[in-house]
Amino acid sequence: MRRQGAALLWRAALAVALVCGIGLLPWLTRTDPALTVLKARSADRDPTPEVLADIRAQLGLDQGPVKLLGHWLGGLWHGDAGRSWLSGAEVTPAVLQALGVSLLLMAVALVVAALTATLVCARTLWLGAHRRLHGRRAGGGGSAVLAALPEFLTASVLATVVGVQLGWLPALGWYGPQWTVLPALALGLPAGAVLGRLLDDLLPGAFAEPWALAADARGLPGRRIARQAVRRCLPGLLPNLGLFVVGLTGGSVAVEQIFDIPGLGRTTLQAALAQDLPVLQAGTLALLLLAATAAGLAALATHRLTGPALRDGALSSLHRPAPPARRTLPLVYGALLVAVVALGLPRDPLALDTTARLQAPSGTHPFGTDALGRDVLARVSHGALDTLLLAAAISAAALLTGLLLGLLPRVSGPLVDTVNAVPPVLLALLVAAVAGSGTATPAFAVGAVAWAPLAAHTAALLRQERAALHLTATRGLGASRPYLLRHELLPAVLPPVTRHALLRLPGIALALASLAFLGLGAQPPSPEWGLLLAENQPYAERAPWAVLAPAAVLALLGAFAVSAAGGVRWRGRRTRPHIPVTAAEPPSRTPELVGAR
C-alpha cells in the first residue's frame, strides 16, 4: 500500500506541475495574453491600449497568474473548468464533447490496429501452432513499410482518393459512424504494424515454453495453443498498448486537421495557438486522466494474466537465442537508401525553374519536380541528411534513457504516463513559445517523449524476467544483484528493447516530419521531409510523385530499420536447451492450459 500511495502522489505531483506550468505559460514566455487573444478573436482589430485593457479586465489578467491559476483549480472541485477566453463558452462541456469524439475515433483505430497486428503475426502464429518455428528467421518488411507511413500522408491519400475521387466514404466532417473509417485507417495501420512487430518478436519464445510443448504432446488443437501463446505475450505489450491509447486520442492532431474532426487533439492545439489557457489546461488534464486510467487498466490486466506466476517466480523466459536474421535484406535496403541520397546530393535543392513546374519523373528529374520547378530528388536527398541524422541521434538518446528509467519502474511509471499524455505537437508549441521555432524545437519535443515507450517496454520485460525460473534458481545459489543484472536481466531485456528502438526509428523521423507538416520546426525553403510533404500535399492529385517520393524513402528507412533490428542479439549469452516433451511423459498442468481444457 505504501508503494502504491507513493506512486499515486508522484503521479499527482507530475500532473499538477504540468497543468500549472501551462497555466503560467504566457508569463513565463513574457508574452501578452491579451494581445494573443485579440489576434485570435479578430485579426483585423487594432491592438490599442484601450482594447487590450478591456480584454485584461474581461479575463481578469490584472489579478496575476497565481490568482488566475488558483481560481481555475478551485473551480475543478465543482466540475467547472472556467470559460473560454475566445468564445466565452463553458470549457467543461466543450472538452468532454471533444474527448468523446477522440475516444470513439481511438476505439475504431484500435480495432484497425488489432486487425493489422493479427495480419503481421499471422505467419508466426500459424508456424508456431503447427510446430514449424524452428529455424524461422525474422522478416517484417511489409510491416515496416506500414509503420513508416506518415499518418497525415495516409489521411490525405484516403481523403482524396477514397473520399473525393471514388466517393465511397465521406472525407470531411464528423456526423456518423461512416465518418470514422478513413481517419481510423490512417491512425490504426501504423500503430498496428508496430504492435504486431513487438508481438511477433515475443511469440517464438512463448511457443518454445514447456507448456506449449506439453499441449502439443497432449494433442490440443494448434489454434488453442496459438491463442494461449498470444495471451502469454500480452503482459509484455500491455504497457505499450496503454501508451497507444493515449497517443491515438491526443496525438492525432494532423489526422483531425485533415478530416476536420472536432477531437481533443485538435481542440488542444487550437487552444495552444490562441493561448486559450482554460481550454488548454482542461484538455491537458483530460489527457492526463486518460493516461492514468489506461496505465491502471494495463496494470490490472497484467496482474490478471500473470499475477500468481510473477509473485511465485514461476515464469519461463520469453527471450531465448534465436536463429540469425537475414543479412542480405538490411544490406539491400541500406544500399538503396544510400544510393538515393548519393544521387541527389550533387543536385541543387533550391534551384527554381518555373518552366518545369510539376514535371513527371524523367531522366533529367528522376523523382520529378515540385510546384516551383525544384528537383524532388535533390530535395529528398538533402533533407535526408538532416532528418536521418537527427532521428538516429534522438533514437539513441531515447534508447539509453528508456533503458535507464525502465530499470526504475517506480520512478518511471508515473513519469511515462505523464509524458505520454502530452502530444508532441503541444510540446513543440510550448517549446516554440519559450525558445522560439527552429530545427531544435521538433527535435526537443520528439526526444522528450520518444523514450516513454522504451521505458514501458523495459519495465514490463524486466518484471517478467525477474519472475523467471532460471533467475529464481540463480538467486537461490547466492548470486548478487549486479551479477543478475549483468548476466541474466540485461541479456534478456536489452536485445528486444533495442529492436523496439530500431523499429521506432522511422516513427521518430515521422514525428519530426509531422511537426514540420503542421508548420513547426524547419521553415521554407528547407528540404526537410515533413516540409516537403506539407508543400506538395496540395498537388497530390496533379503530381503524386512529389508526395510519394519522400514517403517512399521514409518507408525504405522503415524496412531497413526493421530488417536490421532482426539481427540484434546479445553475443555470448548461453543457450538453455529445451527437452521436448513426448507423449509418454505426463505433462504438467499449467494455469494457461487448465482454462483451455
Side-chain angles (χ1 to χ4, degrees):
M1 291 297 294
R2 285 185 178 180
R3 295 177 181 176
Q4 294 177 353
L8 184 61
L9 289 176
W10 174 227
R11 193 186 304 274
L14 290 173
V16 170
L18 178 60
V19 174
C20 292
I22 291 175
L24 300 175
L25 181 63
W27 289 271
L28 293 176
T29 57
R30 298 179 181 179
T31 58
D32 187 357
L35 179 60
T36 307
V37 171
L38 175 63
K39 291 181 179 179
R41 287 180 178 178
S42 177
D44 298 332
R45 194 174 181 183
D46 294 331
T48 61
E50 294 78 10
V51 172
L52 295 179
D54 182 58
I55 293 178
R56 292 191 188 96
Q58 293 176 11
L59 304 180
L61 296 176
D62 294 333
Q63 300 177 18
V66 177
K67 287 188 177 181
L68 278 176
L69 183 60
H71 180 72
W72 184 83
L73 292 174
L76 288 179
W77 295 104
H78 309 287
D80 181 15
R83 291 183 174 274
S84 170
W85 285 3
L86 299 183
S87 64
E90 292 186 3
V91 171
T92 302
V95 170
L96 290 179
Q97 182 178 2
L99 178 62
V101 170
S102 293
L103 289 178
L104 176 59
L105 177 59
M106 176 267 293
V108 182
L110 283 181
V111 173
V112 175
L115 294 175
T116 305
T118 302
L119 292 176
V120 171
C121 300
R123 178 172 174 265
T124 302
L125 288 172
W126 189 89
L127 292 175
H130 293 81
R131 312 305 304 168
R132 298 181 183 178
L133 266 179
H134 181 68
R136 172 188 174 272
R137 295 183 176 183
S143 61
V145 173
L146 283 179
L149 282 177
E151 296 172 354
F152 55 86
L153 178 60
T154 306
S156 299
V157 172
L158 289 175
T160 302
V161 177
V162 180
V164 177
Q165 293 182 352
L166 299 178
W168 291 348
L169 290 168
L172 295 176
W174 188 261
Y175 305 104
Q178 63 270 33
W179 273 265
T180 65
V181 177
L182 294 183
L185 285 173
L187 291 171
L189 288 175
V194 174
L195 288 174
R197 286 296 306 165
L198 295 179
L199 178 59
D200 194 66
D201 193 41
L202 296 176
L203 281 173
F207 280 117
E209 288 185 341
W211 68 263
L213 302 174
D216 181 64
R218 181 63 65 87
L220 266 67
R223 62 180 180 275
R224 186 171 296 181
I225 299 175
R227 186 166 59 247
Q228 294 299 326
V230 173
R231 179 186 174 186
R232 171 67 180 89
C233 298
L234 280 180
L237 296 178
L238 285 173
N240 270 282
L241 182 59
L243 299 185
F244 272 108
V245 167
V246 182
L248 291 177
T249 305
S252 56
V253 179
V255 174
E256 291 180 357
Q257 289 277 70
I258 291 172
F259 287 100
D260 195 23
I261 299 174
L264 187 60
R266 185 183 179 196
T267 301
T268 307
L269 173 63
Q270 292 174 347
L273 292 173
Q275 289 195 2
D276 191 353
L277 294 188
V279 177
L280 179 58
Q281 289 170 309
T284 304
L285 183 60
L287 288 174
L288 290 172
L289 294 175
L290 177 63
T293 302
L297 292 176
L300 183 62
T302 301
H303 179 76
R304 175 71 176 171
L305 290 172
T306 58
L310 288 174
R311 180 194 62 208
D312 300 334
L315 286 177
S316 297
S317 176
L318 281 175
H319 307 287
R320 307 184 186 281
R326 296 184 179 92
R327 297 181 179 180
T328 306
L329 284 180
L331 294 178
V332 171
Y333 293 140
L336 288 175
L337 194 60
V338 171
V340 170
V341 175
L343 286 175
L345 285 180
R347 300 169 179 261
D348 186 358
L350 303 179
L352 301 178
D353 185 4
T354 55
T355 61
R357 297 176 63 251
L358 300 177
Q359 285 189 355
S362 62
T364 306
H365 304 287
F367 284 0
T369 61
D370 63 7
L372 297 178
R374 295 174 296 191
D375 187 78
V376 175
L377 174 60
R379 294 184 63 75
V380 169
S381 300
H382 284 265
L385 295 179
D386 295 335
T387 303
L388 294 181
L389 291 177
L390 192 57
I394 294 175
S395 298
L399 174 61
L400 181 60
T401 305
L403 284 170
L404 293 177
L405 291 179
L407 296 175
L408 303 171
R410 298 177 191 173
V411 176
S412 64
L415 188 59
V416 166
D417 300 335
T418 304
V419 167
N420 188 68
V422 184
V425 174
L426 176 58
L427 189 58
L429 287 172
L430 299 179
V431 174
V434 176
S437 60
T439 306
T441 299
F444 183 85
V446 173
V449 299
W451 60 269
L454 303 178
H457 194 192
T458 300
L461 297 180
L462 194 65
R463 188 184 306 113
Q464 292 194 79
E465 196 65 27
R466 281 174 173 166
L469 288 170
H470 70 87
L471 197 72
T472 304
T474 307
R475 190 185 298 112
L477 294 175
S480 62
R481 289 186 177 181
Y483 179 89
L484 292 175
L485 180 65
R486 170 65 179 82
H487 295 278
E488 299 293 343
L489 296 178
L490 283 182
V493 172
L494 186 57
V497 176
T498 304
R499 292 194 291 270
H500 186 182
L502 284 173
L503 179 63
R504 287 190 175 271
L505 174 62
I508 290 177
L510 167 63
L512 295 171
S514 299
L515 293 178
F517 177 81
L518 293 172
L520 300 170
Q523 300 298 321
S526 170
E528 200 274 335
W529 282 357
L531 196 57
L532 291 184
L533 292 168
E535 291 174 343
N536 296 319
Q537 191 269 335
Y539 308 97
E541 295 183 54
R542 295 174 54 192
W545 52 84
V547 176
L548 292 179
V553 178
L554 191 59
L556 184 62
L557 171 63
F560 168 72
V562 172
S563 59
V568 176
R569 298 288 183 267
W570 184 276
R571 295 185 179 275
R573 192 183 183 197
R574 292 171 296 180
T575 304
R576 295 182 179 85
H578 288 276
I579 302 176
V581 181
T582 63
E585 298 173 340
S588 58
R589 298 179 66 182
T590 62
E592 292 89 350
L593 298 179
V594 170
R597 298 183 63 187

